[in-house]
Amino acid sequence: METYLFIALIFVYILTAFMLPQIALKRIWTVAYIVSFIITGISIFYIKLYATDTLMKVGELNWYYVLYVFGSITIILGVILLWMYKKPLISLFTNSNDDDEDDVN
């Protein structure tokens, strides 16, 4: 299932990359990542709050599925965002000009 999800999200990313300006593209994918992260957090909170038994009940099974799906989406969106922000990330870690040296006095 993750393979199909990965392929679908990559396909949607490629389509949006050709159709939208760069700033809109970054905004859409960042919002998608934040929303999936929030849904994953709510799912984990729900499971932790109502997990009284070690065996899953039928009502809890949907929350585990939601957690699994949005956990997978979050990981894939994280990879897409890392690809989109690769230049700022590379410059962040390779920039040799540190402002911290001036504050040492």
Side-chain angles (χ1 to χ4, degrees):
M1 183 177 103
E2 298 88 10
T3 306
Y4 299 124
L5 187 62
F6 182 73
I7 292 170
L9 284 175
I10 293 297
F11 180 70
V12 170
Y13 170 73
I14 290 171
L15 285 178
T16 56
F18 287 120
M19 299 168 88
L20 297 173
Q22 193 69 21
I23 190 71
L25 183 71
K26 288 182 180 180
R27 286 180 184 161
I28 287 173
W29 285 96
T30 304
V31 168
Y33 179 75
I34 291 169
V35 168
S36 68
F37 186 79
I38 289 171
I39 292 174
T40 303
I42 291 170
S43 301
I44 291 172
F45 177 74
Y46 179 80
I47 290 170
K48 185 69 173 167
L49 188 64
Y50 294 108
T52 57
D53 302 68
T54 56
L55 297 175
M56 283 193 296
K57 299 175 190 169
V58 176
E60 292 175 345
L61 187 59
N62 349 356
W63 282 100
Y64 282 104
Y65 181 73
V66 169
L67 176 65
Y68 180 75
V69 167
F70 277 96
S72 300
I73 289 173
T74 302
I75 292 169
I76 294 167
L77 287 173
V79 170
I80 290 172
L81 285 175
L82 284 175
W83 178 257
M84 287 173 52
Y85 295 117
K86 67 181 178 231
K87 289 182 183 176
L89 286 174
I90 291 171
S91 68
L92 176 69
F93 292 110
T94 59
N95 193 1
S96 61
N97 297 334
D98 289 334
D99 293 333
D100 296 334
E101 295 173 357
D102 297 335
D103 297 335
V104 176
N105 298 335

